[in-house]
Amino acid sequence: MESEFLDFIEHPQNRKEFIQKMLNNNGLDAPVLQMDGKNHIYVNFPKAQYSKNKSIKTIIAHYDIFPGSPGVNDNSFAVYCILKWAILLHKNYQNSQAQHNVRVIFTDGEECGEEGVKSQGAFALAKVFKKLKILNDDIFVFDCMGRGEVPCICDCAISFQSNSLFGKKYRDLEQKACNAISKITNGNCFKIKSNYSDNASFLANGIPAICITMLPFDELQKYMSFNEIPYTWKILHTKDDNYLNITKKSIQLMALLLDELYKM
């Protein structure tokens, strides 16, 4: 992993300022959206970069970390990968006029959600989406993507009628995510029961959103076959969520998956 990533995860580090500075240094504005005491960071791509021929993909990753934990997998790895990808999209447009329809938001306060979805930092953000009638984005949330070689869709824990408008939109979005994952994993796409992430805030506001995570194959197999909690999850929110537990394969897969979503 790059030395810049090691700087990002070094403590104490002002993560908000690091993200903004990295984007600013590469020609991108990164205004802060202050909502309910949380500081979400919006990557402000120039309007000329957007294509009218593609649906908007909103990519979300929370940059806050659990107090006392290095927070490398949860969620520094995904944030850094998306940062690099956003910068690449910007440079690709500058070099070849390659348009995209990507919206990137780094959210604050996801770790506050242990008291319920309304305490999540992204809940206020989702309410703004609803108020502004931003209801048709393809919203993908990335959480804990730094360990393993199997991207997984976090199974929706809420109940809804599959033939409802929301249900249809959710299933369509889930299928898009599954198609993207299948293209980089030889046709495999796994859905797993897991704790909610920032997608819960959008679901609670009636907006479909898919959360994607990563697991090592052996941990996934034991979890699906024997309900054995993955080691990757056991070390979340602990001192062991550190750089040593990041796997190289995850770096490659994260880049490939973001590119597949970009192509949709």
Side-chain angles (χ1 to χ4, degrees):
M1 183 61 79
E2 302 167 5
S3 60
E4 197 171 38
F5 177 68
L6 298 180
D7 291 340
F8 180 43
I9 63 177
E10 184 179 355
H11 292 269
Q13 173 68 263
N14 188 316
R15 299 166 68 80
K16 177 175 70 68
E17 289 184 3
F18 182 99
I19 293 168
Q20 287 183 297
K21 183 178 180 180
M22 187 169 168
L23 291 166
N24 293 163
N25 287 347
N26 285 277
L28 283 165
D29 291 331
V32 170
L33 310 176
Q34 292 186 330
M35 300 176 183
D36 289 353
K38 307 304 178 193
N39 296 306
H40 310 305
I41 303 170
Y42 178 72
V43 181
N44 191 14
F45 293 106
K47 290 183 179 179
Q49 294 189 14
Y50 284 89
S51 167
K52 296 180 180 179
N53 299 321
K54 297 179 180 179
S55 61
I56 294 181
K57 273 78 67 174
T58 293
I59 305 299
I60 292 175
H62 74 88
Y63 71 88
D64 62 307
I65 58 178
F66 191 82
S69 172
V72 177
N73 188 29
D74 184 19
N75 193 33
S76 304
F77 177 87
V79 169
Y80 185 76
C81 288
I82 294 169
L83 264 173
K84 297 289 287 185
W85 180 65
I87 291 166
L88 182 61
L89 289 179
H90 182 57
K91 289 183 177 179
N92 283 345
Y93 178 80
Q94 290 179 315
N95 295 333
S96 61
Q97 304 298 296
Q99 291 182 307
H100 61 82
N101 259 17
V102 172
R103 193 198 318 268
V104 174
I105 304 174
F106 298 107
T107 57
D108 180 24
E110 192 270 354
E111 297 296 358
C112 299
E114 291 192 342
E115 297 179 7
V117 65
K118 289 187 178 181
S119 64
Q120 264 190 344
F123 189 79
L125 178 65
K127 284 185 7 182
V128 170
F129 269 54
K130 186 175 182 179
K131 182 177 181 180
L132 297 177
K133 299 189 183 303
I134 305 174
L135 306 175
N136 295 314
D137 284 22
D138 292 340
I139 301 176
F140 301 102
V141 175
F142 287 88
D143 204 355
C144 303
M145 295 293 295
R147 269 185 57 80
E149 63 283 345
V150 188
C152 302
I153 293 174
C154 299
D155 197 10
C156 178
I158 66 171
S159 60
F160 54 82
Q161 293 182 342
S162 59
N163 62 348
S164 66
L165 179 60
F166 174 85
K168 183 179 185 305
K169 285 184 175 182
Y170 182 87
R171 295 304 177 201
D172 287 347
L173 184 60
E174 188 177 63
Q175 188 60 53
K176 287 182 180 180
C178 193
N179 290 343
I181 290 172
S182 295
K183 287 183 178 180
I184 66 171
T185 57
N186 298 318
N188 295 317
C189 179
F190 295 95
K191 286 171 47 178
I192 58 171
K193 299 288 186 183
S194 64
N195 292 334
Y196 62 79
S197 184
D198 274 341
N199 66 316
S201 290
F202 287 87
L203 296 176
N205 280 282
I207 303 173
I210 299 295
C211 180
I212 301 173
T213 193
M214 188 91 72
L215 282 175
F217 180 75
D218 60 333
E219 293 182 21
L220 174 65
Q221 194 173 38
K222 291 177 182 177
Y223 180 53
M224 297 187 73
S225 300
F226 308 109
N227 203 31
E228 181 178 323
I229 302 300
Y231 172 76
T232 297
W233 294 355
K234 289 180 179 179
I235 63 175
L236 297 179
H237 297 180
T238 74
K239 60 180 179 59
D240 292 322
D241 182 11
N242 57 42
Y243 175 75
L244 297 176
N245 281 300
I246 296 297
T247 54
K248 291 183 179 180
K249 184 66 174 178
S250 302
I251 301 171
Q252 177 189 10
L253 286 170
M254 183 68 175
L256 291 172
L257 182 52
L258 287 169
D259 282 343
E260 285 300 328
L261 296 176
Y262 153 76
K263 294 173 187 176
M264 292 192 316

